[in-house]
Amino acid sequence: MADDFHKVPPSFDLAGNASKGFNPALIVLLLVGGLLLVFLVGNYALYIYAQKTLPPRKKKPISKKKMKKERLKHGVSAPGE
């Protein structure tokens, strides 16, 4: 019984067994963190690739009615009036 007092707990044993394995929470954390990192890096790579390869978006055509209103705002008369 007196011998139990001088035993070193396994968590503080410097020469402890290395075959015990990793903490399961650490494995899950590394796995989730790694997957998140791969996802973010993959999305960034796809974004850069799309910026280089895709043509720029075409603007929507402006209706004649809207164009007439804009010209009247600027003081230019619409053609045919």
Side-chain angles (χ1 to χ4, degrees):
M1 189 87 159
D3 219 305
D4 291 341
F5 181 72
H6 294 289
K7 283 189 178 178
V8 178
S11 59
F12 293 109
D13 192 6
L14 297 177
N17 297 336
S19 63
K20 279 193 170 186
F22 292 104
N23 185 358
L26 179 67
I27 294 172
V28 170
L29 184 67
L30 289 174
L31 186 66
V32 170
L35 288 174
L36 182 66
L37 187 67
V38 167
F39 176 75
L40 292 174
V41 169
N43 272 349
Y44 180 72
L46 284 173
Y47 173 75
I48 294 299
Y49 175 74
Q51 291 295 315
K52 289 180 181 178
T53 57
L54 291 177
R57 280 195 208 173
K58 293 181 180 176
K59 293 183 179 178
K60 286 184 178 178
I62 301 173
S63 68
K64 290 180 182 179
K65 190 175 183 181
K66 201 173 212 179
M67 195 181 302
K68 187 176 178 183
K69 280 185 182 178
E70 286 295 321
R71 285 187 181 168
L72 287 174
K73 278 184 188 176
H74 295 292
V76 179
S77 63
E81 289 185 5

